[in-house]
Amino acid sequence: MNTEIAGIAFTYFLTVILAIPLGKYIAKVYAGEKTFLDSVLGPVENLFFRWSGIAYKQEMNWKQHLQALLTINVWWFGWAMFVLMNQGWLPWNPDQNPSMSPDLAFNTAISFLVNCNLQHYSGETGMSYLGQIACLMFLQFVTAGTGMAACAVVFNAMKARTTDKLGNFYNYFVKSCTRILLPLSFVLAIILLWEGTPMNVAGKASITTLQGDTVQVSRGPVAAMVAIKQLGTNGGGFFGVNSAHPLENPSYLSNILECASIVLIPIAMIFALGYYLQRKRLAYIVFGVMTVGFLLFVVPSVYLEMQGNPALTQMGIEQNLGSMEGKETRFGAASSAFWAVATTVTSNGSVNAMHDSLTPLTGMFALLGMMINALYGGVGVGFLNFYVFMIIAVFIAGLMVGRTPEFLGKKIEAREMKIASIIALLHPLLILAGTALASFVYVGHPDLPWLNNPSFHGFSEMLYEYTSSAANNGSGFEGLGDNTPFWNISTGIVLILSRYLPIIGPIAIAGILANKKFVPESAGTLKTDTATFGLMVFAVIFIVAALAFFPALTLGPLAEYFTHK
Amino acid sequence: MKTHLLPALKLTALCFMLFVVVYPLSILGIAQLMPNQGNIAFVESQGKMVGVAHIGQRFDQDRYFNGRSSAVDYNAAASGGSNKGTSNPAYLAQVQARIDTFLVHNPAVQRHEIPAELVTASGSGLDPDLSVAAALVQVKRIAHVRKIPVALLEALVQQHVQEPLWGLFGPRHINVLALNIALDKLSTKTLQ
């Protein structure tokens, strides 16, 4: 078998094999059962709660959960703005990089706060080490923890009982960080160090090359940050080119592990759902639907990238290794395409190849992954998005067979459906309205230095930027000249809306449902753990999420593909 | 909201201690036990420091194996790709120009023998590697410039091929800096 194909097959199987025990472990953590890290981390967490004055055993209703979540996020935003706008004079800035302008700081603070990590700066020249570690890496931990805590609340609400008590937000949040993200990051960071990723505090090194050029080489505390950015579906890299950088991702082994880390926790959360609710069949159906969608994107993407660029074939050169523009030799075309899909179906957004230079249809699959945003999805929030689609599917299926729609023993009524519909439609609204606005501005001022590519591909660059923002993804068609007040502010607003509303919505639905009377399953109940229901969810996802974007995709990647000679 | 303000702030400060102080310091400590003590891996040749193992450097002289094109001219303090779309006419013209330049420098090579990776820019602009085909296609030129037999150079290239991980996963590739250092050594040997 081709070693490049074997490499990505191995990466995927490794991920699933690791995700099963991890899912079991996560379920235990959220259920408050004993785990092997209790003796080390238990005392630390208790100390945290005592010193903060938090009664972590006191259960909250869904509104209190949201209050806690939003309050702590406000503090983090303040801290991020302060560091980013002052890093120029703050300590630990050996390369003397400047403070950020207010609009860039706003965009960066928001984008790391919402777990997106859209980067309108370049790490080597735009961040101090203090900013990287104390601001960005800090947010990479806690915002991933926030998403997972929100997911844990929904898990709790899905239990077969009637209550408004849904656990304690701080408890879920702290444990997501200390029990899941921290140990995994620790292990990954150490392996990366071994593979050659640096972790030091000195500024740039100066070297003279074999040909006699003098070159400055950026380095820094990279390993610690790369580990959490991969695991927490953050994606904000230390260097400008993210995991394409040879120090951030030095070898094929590091590439396998970093790529597996992108989808590891999102998949493990699905298995955790099965163990937590003791509804393994439901988890398998969810996993199955997500995996079918994922493979539908991966297979053609890998094929197309390995085929190469038809325009280069026409020039009469040899293209055995596939389309290599924007890709690294040590990874090859197959694993770059695989990563491109993995990072966009989850809301990770780290890259190991430049997405702007992907062949048109692979670029479209990357876009579609973000437009659906629920195939594995971000840590925690991926499942929240999927939950919304399940609610809609239950409702539509109920209407089709003429029964009251019920989901896990709870009646779904008008209020929940309204919330679910708003959340499902918000995503296309933000993306399409944003792109329309940008296109309108650009048509009026074609001299703006925004687009790095003409024609359809230029349109795709703008579409990609808003899609990436709304999906809280953070990857980009990086040719776009996006460090301008227009892009910083408009994507910043999209980021805020598309993070918090899709968290508030599902928690509200789950909270309302949890409070309803539990109706035991009967012969008349629509079964949600069957392949038929899985197909139903898949259809809903495709109709609601994918088809809404079809006209936009036609103007961008599809038009580019069909005119590509 | 008000009831959460103070606990949330305190919890933030404590999380800060754990994730911004304890975690990175532990990784920094462990890094000291690693092969490069957490630093980048400098490469020496004949007593002189000539580069960093993982970072590609510019090789554009005919006497060396040339690396891939770089959108940032191998500036290791500002990595970057070209971000050109595959159908962009300006980009295609650029690739065409690279092919023409290559043919001028390598008159013994046919157009259809040029591997695309040699005339396209890498993702990071710092790609330290070449594919095997991209190294072999330059052998005739270097043999001519350095007056070394072609067979000897081909053997040198084959010696430097890094096989897939565990022989199973990923592409074969060659570190350009290591290859060129070995090339310089070979030159001095054949001259003696």
Side-chain angles (χ1 to χ4, degrees):
Chain A
M1 194 155 91
N2 178 316
T3 53
E4 291 198 39
I5 303 278
I8 57 177
F10 175 71
T11 308
Y12 186 74
F13 285 113
L14 178 76
T15 315
V16 176
I17 285 168
L18 291 176
I20 293 169
L22 180 63
K24 205 172 205 168
Y25 170 77
I26 291 175
K28 279 188 182 174
V29 168
Y30 290 146
E33 289 169 30
K34 273 206 172 92
T35 59
F36 69 102
L37 286 171
D38 280 348
S39 52
V40 190
L41 293 170
V44 178
E45 290 154 0
N46 286 338
L47 212 65
F48 272 34
F49 293 130
R50 208 168 56 236
W51 285 356
S52 318
I54 291 167
Y56 72 97
K57 285 186 177 150
Q58 199 171 15
E59 299 209 46
M60 299 174 170
N61 63 29
W62 67 269
K63 286 180 185 159
Q64 289 165 325
H65 271 291
L66 290 174
Q67 281 172 3
L69 185 152
L70 295 172
T71 312
I72 201 163
N73 271 258
V74 171
W75 284 120
W76 298 338
F77 175 69
W79 168 247
M81 281 302 278
F82 169 76
V83 175
L84 294 174
M85 289 186 69
N86 295 289
Q87 59 174 359
W89 60 266
L90 285 169
W92 210 24
N93 184 12
D95 296 334
Q96 273 136 36
N97 290 332
S99 300
M100 285 189 178
S101 65
D103 58 301
L104 180 58
F106 168 75
N107 185 279
T108 309
I110 290 291
S111 103
F112 279 79
L113 182 70
V114 304
N115 197 248
C116 173
N117 299 199
L118 198 66
Q119 296 169 291
H120 288 178
Y121 63 90
S122 188
E124 295 98 314
T125 51
M127 288 300 298
S128 73
Y129 291 173
L130 181 86
Q132 298 268 29
I133 295 296
C135 174
L136 303 187
M137 196 188 78
F138 173 69
L139 290 176
Q140 290 181 334
F141 270 106
V142 293
T143 60
T146 304
M148 293 174 76
C151 188
V153 176
V154 173
F155 282 3
N156 191 325
M158 287 165 82
K159 281 187 191 165
R161 55 156 171 35
T162 303
T163 180
D164 63 345
K165 302 274 182 244
L166 303 173
N168 183 289
F169 173 77
Y170 296 112
N171 185 34
Y172 287 145
F173 160 68
V174 168
K175 287 191 175 153
S176 302
C177 294
T178 56
R179 298 295 176 105
I180 300 161
L181 296 168
L182 186 64
L184 287 172
S185 303
F186 213 84
V187 174
L188 182 60
I190 291 170
I191 302 175
L192 289 176
L193 278 176
W194 183 259
E195 285 299 292
T197 301
M199 180 74 194
N200 69 345
V201 293
K204 288 175 205 157
S206 184
I207 56 165
T208 307
T209 67
L210 208 53
Q211 275 197 172
D213 306 324
T214 305
V215 180
Q216 306 286 316
V217 182
S218 289
R219 48 183 172 177
V222 187
M225 180 165 169
V226 173
I228 180 62
K229 79 132 184 191
Q230 291 305 109
L231 284 160
T233 55
N234 295 289
F238 192 93
F239 298 109
V241 290
N242 212 295
S243 278
H245 197 288
L247 292 178
E248 198 154 325
N249 193 359
S251 64
Y252 199 78
L253 178 62
S254 69
N255 190 63
I256 286 180
L257 295 174
E258 287 185 20
C259 193
S261 302
I262 292 176
V263 273
L264 176 64
I265 296 181
I267 293 181
M269 288 300 271
I270 307 305
F271 294 133
L273 169 81
Y275 291 116
Y276 185 84
L277 296 180
Q278 284 159 355
R279 285 178 180 273
K280 281 193 197 162
R281 274 181 63 98
L282 180 69
Y284 293 146
I285 292 297
V286 174
F287 177 69
V289 172
M290 291 179 169
T291 303
V292 168
F294 178 66
L295 291 178
L296 277 178
F297 294 166
V298 164
V299 174
S301 298
V302 169
Y303 173 78
L304 288 163
E305 293 309 301
M306 290 182 82
Q307 279 294 301
N309 179 354
L312 294 194
T313 311
Q314 272 193 346
M315 289 182 187
I317 57 174
E318 178 252 304
Q319 227 178 160
N320 285 342
L321 294 184
S323 174
M324 287 302 284
E325 180 69 36
K327 297 194 183 69
E328 298 282 295
T329 311
R330 63 192 179 285
F331 308 143
S335 78
S336 301
F338 182 77
W339 182 305
V341 174
T343 197
T344 44
V345 294
T346 63
S347 70
N348 188 295
S350 64
V351 297
N352 76 345
M354 296 301 110
H355 286 194
D356 221 346
S357 300
L358 293 173
T359 56
L361 290 188
T362 311
M364 181 179 79
F365 291 123
L367 278 162
L368 269 172
M370 297 186 290
M371 287 163 173
I372 292 172
N373 206 21
L375 303 173
Y376 303 141
V379 288
V381 290
F383 179 73
L384 297 191
N385 292 334
F386 196 87
Y387 179 76
V388 170
F389 288 126
M390 282 204 289
I391 297 286
I392 297 175
V394 167
F395 188 75
I396 293 176
L399 288 185
M400 283 165 76
V401 295
R403 290 197 186 115
T404 346
E406 275 168 25
F407 184 47
L408 304 182
K410 301 296 172 94
K411 266 192 196 133
I412 293 177
E413 287 164 307
R415 197 164 161 218
E416 297 84 73
M417 261 316 284
K418 275 185 201 155
I419 302 173
S421 309
I422 290 171
I423 299 304
L425 294 175
L426 176 78
H427 195 55
L429 174 74
L430 289 173
I431 294 171
L432 297 175
T435 312
L437 176 70
S439 306
F440 178 74
V441 172
Y442 187 75
V443 167
H445 305 269
D447 50 325
L448 283 168
W450 281 1
L451 307 183
N452 192 38
N453 290 286
S455 176
F456 307 119
H457 196 83
F459 174 79
S460 300
E461 287 184 336
M462 297 192 282
L463 177 65
Y464 197 104
E465 189 70 6
Y466 284 107
T467 309
S468 175
S469 305
N472 285 179
N473 183 277
S475 64
F477 274 11
E478 291 297 342
L480 185 75
D482 48 19
N483 184 14
T484 63
F486 175 84
W487 286 99
N488 284 335
I489 294 167
S490 68
T491 55
I493 293 166
V494 170
L495 286 167
I496 299 176
L497 294 174
S498 59
R499 164 75 167 182
Y500 295 107
L501 296 181
I503 285 182
I504 294 171
I507 288 190
I509 297 173
I512 295 168
L513 289 184
N515 215 358
K516 286 190 184 179
K517 200 170 121 253
F518 181 74
V519 194
E521 220 169 88
S522 67
T525 310
L526 175 81
K527 288 219 163 56
T528 49
D529 54 1
T530 60
T532 317
F533 182 70
L535 200 67
M536 190 75 203
V537 180
F538 193 84
V540 166
I541 290 178
F542 234 81
I543 293 162
V544 174
L547 288 187
F549 297 102
F550 186 69
L553 292 172
T554 311
L555 291 175
L558 283 173
E560 189 189 359
Y561 174 75
F562 285 115
T563 54
H564 207 339
K565 284 186 217 71
Chain B
M1 280 293 196
K2 253 187 200 162
T3 50
H4 292 288
L5 271 178
L6 206 58
L9 180 63
K10 286 183 186 164
L11 188 62
T12 298
L14 289 164
C15 285
F16 190 84
M17 291 304 293
L18 187 59
F19 301 126
V20 176
V21 181
V22 176
Y23 165 69
L25 279 182
S26 325
I27 302 295
L28 200 63
I30 293 166
Q32 305 312 311
L33 311 172
M34 292 286 167
N36 305 308
Q37 286 86 45
N39 203 338
I40 46 183
F42 294 106
V43 177
E44 278 190 16
S45 169
Q46 295 160 347
K48 256 184 20 191
M49 205 239 294
V50 293
V52 176
H54 294 294
I55 299 282
Q57 51 183 257
R58 183 161 56 127
F59 284 109
D60 51 4
Q61 298 172 354
D62 281 349
R63 47 198 286 270
Y64 283 118
F65 285 97
N66 293 179
R68 298 183 59 195
S69 300
S70 162
V72 295
D73 200 18
Y74 286 97
N75 179 354
S79 58
S82 73
N83 288 310
K84 298 287 188 197
T86 50
S87 63
N88 185 337
Y91 159 70
L92 295 173
Q94 205 178 6
V95 174
Q96 188 62 56
R98 287 188 198 131
I99 295 172
D100 296 340
T101 314
F102 187 83
L103 288 172
V104 170
H105 286 257
N106 298 267
V109 173
Q110 302 283 315
R111 176 179 286 260
H112 67 85
E113 293 171 313
I114 303 176
E117 56 273 22
L118 204 52
V119 290
T120 49
S122 62
S124 61
L126 303 171
D127 195 337
D129 300 309
L130 275 178
S131 65
V132 182
L136 286 176
V137 77
Q138 305 184 46
V139 159
K140 282 182 193 153
R141 179 194 76 225
I142 294 168
H144 177 76
V145 174
R146 296 217 181 210
K147 316 265 183 290
I148 301 176
V150 167
L152 215 54
L153 284 177
E154 281 176 350
L156 185 78
V157 168
Q158 295 299 346
Q159 274 167 29
H160 280 82
V161 173
Q162 286 174 270
E163 292 298 326
L165 178 68
W166 306 319
L168 296 171
F169 307 128
R172 305 169 81 207
H173 54 96
I174 298 172
N175 185 295
V176 189
L177 178 59
L179 180 63
N180 278 331
I181 290 173
L183 177 64
D184 272 351
K185 274 191 196 142
L186 188 71
S187 275
T188 34
K189 247 191 257 166
T190 39
L191 279 178
Q192 280 161 359

